[in-house]
Amino acid sequence: MNLLQTPIEYLKGIGPSRGELLRKELNIHRYGDLMNLFPNRYIDRTRYYKINELQNSNAEVQIIGKIIHIKTVEFGKNQKRLIASFVDETGQIELTWFQGIKWIRESLKLNEIYVIFGKTSNYGSQFSMAHPEMELKEEHQTNLRSAMQPVYPSTEKLTQRGITNKVINKAIQQLFLEIKGQFIETLPVSILEQLKLIPKNESMFNIHFPKSQELLGKAQFRLKFEELFFIQLQLITKNLIRKHKIKGHPFDKVGDNFTNFYANHLPFELTNAQKRVIKEIRNDMGSNAQMNRLLQGDVGSGKTIVALMCMLIAKDNGFQSCLMAPTEILANQHFIGLSELAKGLNINIKILTGSSKTSDRKIIHESLENGILDIIIGTHALLEDKVKFKNLGLAVIDEQHRFGVEQRSKLWKKNEIPPHVLVMTATPIPRTLAMSLYGDLDISVIDELPPGRKVIQTVHRFDSNRLKVWKFLKDEIAKGRQIYIVYPLINESATQDYKDLMDGYESISRDFPLPQYTISIVHGQMKPSEKEAEMQRFVAGKTNIMVATTVIEVGVNVPNASVMVIESTERFGLSQLHQLRGRVGRGAEQSYCILMTGFKLGDDSKTRIETMCRTNDGFEIAEVDLKLRGPGDIMGKQQSGVLNLQIADLVKDRAILMTAREYAMKLLKEDASMTKPEHHKMREIFIEMSAKKNIWNYIS
């Protein structure tokens, strides 16, 4: 039996009650789980300081010397402390204890050589160390330990119940004694040699008991590479299998609809990024495999026109297309936008949503089935069983994170051969995350905005400047512009949020009175029909100001809205702020985003506000957001499950991730089924991992 599968309570020093705690608090069930509890930092004990080298830095240091004098001193009411004079050949330091004085006094030996370790503090020129760790020098030299002391992840409960860092450290020492270094090498010799990686045994020992900084670095690199390499193997294999197994409709011609639109109806010159992306999509749709591509582009980068041109290729090859959006407002917007673009073409476009009339639905259902309808735009209504296509060739999905997997698969089943799929998102995803979460999708990025777009000016103002801000809003309204004022929403039903919004609405109504100004209000506690009606009033220009919670984050297009005021900016995340800002700047006029806050701001809030004022680049903003929040929070729990990383860090280890992906691709190109003898162990782990999802149970 593999020793690493042994239940944790059987390890010497653990037992049933400690085992239960480790299971609950750190998810450690077996020997292997404890072995893969990697330290999150190390205390450097490679160096022994002389007393005359000590600095006023509050750092942890270790010193070799001896105790020459011990005394007990009374202070305060019935309180005592123990003080020992500790010397080496360069000077003297005071050691102090406030607890366990009797026992410590009895255990201390005068004039014996000790190694002490702890934080120093100084008063004048006299250094002292409180409650130092102490070992006689000969003991210190015989213990199984490294010069770099590992500090393991822990919880308050574990510490309270006496499972300290020392206990975990001892348990891992015990584990190594029992396992006797029997780790199976998981990586092929070719990769170990090319990247000069240290063997598995050596890396596991040095991650827990590093002999030096250099060996620790090598162990970390090897284990991080391994973790990311196996994740990339999984994602790339998934992609290859799909391309190999799932046949797609080969759209092998680019016909009259596409060329006519390109030559005669383009409203503006395409950007180089748009041209590149269309070429990538054309190559995909021209092959025999089903396309599965993620199209990323910031708000306003021109994803819709790319989607239309792909739909025209589908039409040229005799196929229908659909575009699915998460809300009626977005679906309507796409319908208006695409109808406008396709005005001079012989293309039949219709929209189907929850509020489509029954009589209209009947006609739409019939014309989809008999193939008269070329393009259908809609919401979840497209997924109903009644909706049948004659030959669906391309499905475009907008803001796909708002649709579940089952919902999407309903769309695939509308055809014998699944349609090509283009997923669009205006939420920029950092490259490292995209490669890890969407590694099984091909990714296209529109990374430039169309010419002539004015950059939105973003400024930060404190609440004390409110009068000046209101004056600016009145000037903009006088020019015929419209304004958004957005309040934070932490929880749909939170009374505090609702109160903030209503208080804000009342004070805005006082400062912008009728009949000169008209105000719309939208929040989560309204019925969908009421929300829709208020939104439409604003879209139609019947109101000057839209007061809302973040429900307006995605998709509303009001070219006349030129100012976005965000209240309590410190309560918003970076990507949310960027999405909100994207609601303005859609017309030809100069647009503004005003970030309002109180004076009290934490460091993260300052970073978010500074980033927003400095750049409009969604990808740069996404990278900062990733650094601040980490991958789990950004992708939400559902998505980040795949990234339950134990040693690698997507923010700090970007370069290692790139290397891992490159090597995984190279290996699969040469041996897609991983059946070569040298890939045998790797294939075994890969199969188990694909079934169980947790990589580290198998990598050991």
Side-chain angles (χ1 to χ4, degrees):
M1 177 190 159
N2 181 351
L3 256 179
L4 291 169
Q5 295 299 323
T6 313
I8 195 65
E9 53 268 31
Y10 293 111
L11 185 65
K12 187 179 167 188
I14 298 297
S17 67
R18 278 180 166 178
E20 187 55 29
L21 257 178
L22 287 170
R23 254 194 294 279
K24 277 187 186 153
E25 295 294 300
L26 294 176
N27 209 14
I28 290 171
H29 297 261
R30 299 190 160 77
Y31 280 20
D33 299 328
L34 181 62
M35 190 54 88
N36 295 318
L37 178 72
F38 298 120
N40 46 19
R41 64 188 180 90
Y42 297 83
I43 294 164
D44 186 354
R45 293 180 78 156
T46 50
R47 178 154 182 214
Y48 297 92
Y49 284 80
K50 300 287 183 208
I51 290 172
N52 68 354
E53 292 175 327
L54 296 179
Q55 301 287 324
N56 184 13
S57 65
N58 203 22
E60 291 174 306
V61 295
Q62 66 185 352
I63 309 166
I64 300 172
K66 58 186 179 184
I67 292 172
I68 54 166
H69 183 254
I70 305 170
K71 64 180 177 189
T72 307
V73 176
E74 292 197 7
F75 70 102
K77 203 175 180 187
N78 302 328
Q79 288 180 301
K80 292 180 179 175
R81 67 172 163 210
L82 186 65
I83 296 176
S85 303
F86 186 83
V87 299
D88 68 4
E89 66 276 22
T90 70
Q92 181 170 318
I93 180 173
E94 257 187 12
L95 309 181
T96 56
W97 292 268
F98 301 92
Q99 289 156 334
I101 289 174
K102 186 173 179 295
W103 176 80
I104 288 166
R105 176 148 205 171
E106 285 166 10
S107 65
L108 291 178
K109 297 174 180 170
L110 288 174
N111 297 314
E112 295 271 357
I113 303 292
Y114 278 101
V115 177
I116 65 166
F117 176 80
K119 275 189 178 176
T120 57
S121 49
N122 76 324
Y123 304 97
S125 59
Q126 174 71 58
F127 278 89
S128 71
M129 189 184 283
H131 286 270
E133 281 181 34
M134 299 190 69
E135 283 178 307
L136 287 164
K137 193 178 174 192
E138 61 251 32
E139 262 177 50
H140 177 78
Q141 285 163 336
T142 57
N143 274 346
L144 166 61
R145 73 132 65 74
S146 64
M148 311 281 299
Q149 295 275 291
V151 179
Y152 291 96
S154 187
T155 67
E156 209 175 314
K157 208 167 196 176
L158 287 176
T159 315
Q160 281 169 358
R161 301 281 287 275
I163 303 181
T164 59
N165 195 58
K166 209 169 185 178
V167 169
I168 300 234
N169 198 326
K170 264 219 148 37
I172 290 171
Q173 287 188 29
Q174 180 61 33
L175 208 46
F176 269 97
L177 293 174
E178 289 188 27
I179 287 166
K180 301 184 178 68
Q182 294 167 9
F183 294 104
I184 294 157
E185 187 50 76
T186 53
L187 295 172
V189 175
S190 57
I191 289 181
L192 292 174
E193 285 175 354
Q194 283 166 32
L195 287 170
K196 299 187 172 61
L197 299 176
I198 61 173
K200 181 73 184 201
N201 269 327
E202 208 181 321
S203 61
M204 288 304 282
F205 188 83
N206 277 288
I207 201 78
H208 291 289
F209 307 109
K211 289 274 178 267
S212 66
Q213 286 277 14
E214 188 194 359
L215 274 168
L216 172 62
K218 285 182 175 175
Q220 284 174 327
F221 184 89
R222 189 238 138 94
L223 295 171
K224 285 175 178 184
F225 173 84
E226 182 175 4
E227 182 169 45
L228 295 168
F229 174 76
F230 274 95
I231 287 172
Q232 291 303 322
L233 268 188
Q234 247 185 332
L235 290 166
I236 297 162
T237 304
K238 208 165 143 191
N239 195 353
L240 291 173
I241 288 171
R242 193 177 41 71
K243 283 182 176 168
H244 188 65
K245 278 194 177 165
I246 305 179
K247 294 283 172 262
H249 303 286
F251 292 174
D252 40 26
K253 70 172 188 192
V254 173
D256 296 344
N257 289 292
F258 183 91
T259 46
N260 175 21
F261 179 76
Y262 189 78
N264 307 315
H265 297 279
L266 263 184
F268 44 76
E269 175 73 17
L270 293 179
T271 63
N272 288 329
Q274 284 172 314
K275 287 177 186 168
R276 183 188 70 238
V277 165
I278 291 169
K279 196 172 172 190
E280 289 166 354
I281 295 169
R282 270 176 57 178
N283 288 342
D284 278 3
M285 297 197 303
S287 75
N288 281 323
Q290 182 216 14
M291 172 174 82
N292 223 5
R293 192 168 274 279
L294 174 69
L295 174 59
Q296 291 193 74
D298 230 331
V299 173
S301 60
K303 294 184 293 297
T304 313
I305 204 161
V306 168
L308 174 66
M309 292 175 83
C310 300
M311 290 169 172
L312 294 177
I313 295 175
K315 162 89 171 150
D316 282 336
N317 286 273
F319 285 90
Q320 296 166 300
S321 302
C322 73
L323 190 159
M324 192 162 83
T327 63
E328 286 202 13
I329 284 189
L330 252 180
N332 272 310
Q333 204 167 286
H334 280 304
F335 177 62
I336 294 162
L338 289 175
S339 304
E340 183 63 32
L341 285 167
K343 223 174 8 194
L345 305 170
N346 183 22
I347 299 282
N348 189 355
I349 304 177
K350 288 282 182 281
I351 182 166
L352 181 66
T353 67
S355 46
S356 298
K357 289 182 190 143
T358 314
S359 53
D360 292 344
R361 278 169 189 261
K362 200 165 177 289
I363 298 165
I364 287 170
H365 289 161
E366 281 171 15
S367 49
L368 267 180
E369 272 195 75
N370 62 25
I372 294 169
L373 198 50
D374 301 309
I375 295 172
I376 181 81
I377 292 159
T379 53
H380 298 77
L382 294 180
L383 302 174
E384 290 168 6
D385 293 338
K386 280 182 247 159
V387 179
K388 294 187 172 71
F389 292 82
K390 183 182 181 189
N391 53 1
L392 178 63
L394 171 66
V396 180
I397 297 178
D398 198 19
E399 295 301 338
Q400 75 104 27
H401 58 280
R402 294 176 174 238
F403 294 105
V405 177
E406 283 145 45
Q407 289 173 319
R408 295 202 301 275
S409 68
K410 270 189 182 172
L411 212 47
W412 305 176
K413 288 169 187 157
K414 303 257 180 200
N415 259 34
E416 239 171 87
I417 294 180
H420 294 296
V421 178
L422 182 67
V423 168
M424 301 199 299
T425 178
T427 311
I429 303 158
R431 189 170 157 74
T432 39
L433 264 192
M435 274 170 32
S436 309
L437 286 164
Y438 299 114
D440 57 329
L441 293 182
D442 297 303
I443 297 174
S444 288
V445 178
I446 304 181
D447 48 11
E448 57 182 311
L449 288 176
R453 278 268 170 145
K454 290 197 173 88
V455 173
I456 301 164
Q457 285 185 20
T458 305
V459 293
H460 173 214
R461 294 289 179 262
F462 292 109
D463 291 335
S464 54
N465 302 116
R466 191 169 294 279
L467 286 176
K468 280 185 181 166
V469 171
W470 272 193
K471 162 88 170 69
F472 174 72
L473 299 189
K474 286 174 179 173
D475 292 346
E476 284 294 296
I477 292 170
K479 292 178 195 166
R481 314 268 180 271
Q482 286 167 285
I483 315 285
Y484 291 107
I485 301 178
V486 180
Y487 285 81
L489 176 71
I490 309 302
N491 181 333
E492 278 284 349
S493 61
T495 42
Q496 183 57 44
D497 292 325
Y498 186 66
K499 186 178 173 302
D500 286 353
L501 178 79
M502 296 321 287
D503 286 353
Y505 177 66
E506 279 173 28
S507 72
I508 291 161
S509 303
R510 281 195 301 275
D511 293 331
F512 294 84
L514 284 159
Q516 197 178 352
Y517 303 100
T518 47
I519 302 170
S520 288
I521 181 166
V522 175
H523 56 80
Q525 304 198 350
M526 294 164 79
K527 289 184 185 138
S529 56
E530 292 171 356
K531 247 192 252 184
E532 191 77 25
E534 281 292 280
M535 290 274 210
Q536 290 308 339
R537 283 177 69 212
F538 187 67
V539 171
K542 290 175 183 163
T543 55
N544 314 110
I545 298 172
M546 160 74 80
V547 176
T549 54
T550 49
V551 286
I552 61 152
E553 188 182 325
V554 172
V556 194
N557 190 10
V558 185
N560 192 43
S562 65
V563 186
M564 165 69 66
V565 178
I566 302 176
E567 294 284 354
S568 306
T569 303
E570 68 275 17
R571 287 171 70 187
F572 289 88
L574 243 183
S575 63
Q576 211 178 13
L577 289 172
H578 180 63
Q579 284 287 321
L580 284 167
R581 173 167 63 185
R583 299 296 105 231
V584 295
R586 291 170 164 251
E589 306 306 327
Q590 176 62 57
S591 288
Y592 305 89
C593 177
I594 302 169
L595 308 175
M596 302 292 294
T597 70
F599 281 105
K600 268 190 174 171
L601 292 175
D603 288 346
D604 281 4
S605 299
K606 284 178 186 163
T607 304
R608 288 198 294 269
I609 289 165
E610 182 273 321
T611 305
M612 284 292 292
C613 293
R614 176 174 51 81
T615 180
N616 278 273
D617 179 341
F619 288 94
E620 192 183 332
I621 287 167
E623 291 291 350
V624 176
D625 200 24
L626 180 61
K627 280 183 183 134
L628 288 175
R629 291 198 291 156
D633 286 343
I634 286 187
M635 298 320 296
K637 289 291 164 271
Q638 211 181 348
Q639 294 273 39
S640 64
V642 65
L643 290 182
N644 210 345
L645 299 175
Q646 281 186 282
I647 188 163
D649 176 320
L650 286 184
V651 182
K652 300 187 183 111
D653 300 322
R654 186 177 173 161
I656 304 176
L657 171 65
M658 307 291 235
T659 308
R661 188 168 173 85
E662 183 194 324
Y663 274 82
M665 284 176 117
K666 198 166 133 193
L667 185 138
L668 290 169
K669 233 180 204 153
E670 291 163 13
D671 182 19
S673 53
M674 296 182 255
T675 45
K676 285 185 179 176
E678 63 268 34
H679 298 154
H680 174 70
K681 191 66 215 168
M682 183 182 76
R683 185 168 186 269
E684 250 179 53
I685 287 163
F686 177 79
I687 291 165
E688 287 187 42
M689 192 181 114
S690 303
K692 294 284 192 338
K693 297 280 183 280
N694 183 359
I695 171 175
W696 281 103
N697 285 345
Y698 303 103
I699 284 188
S700 288

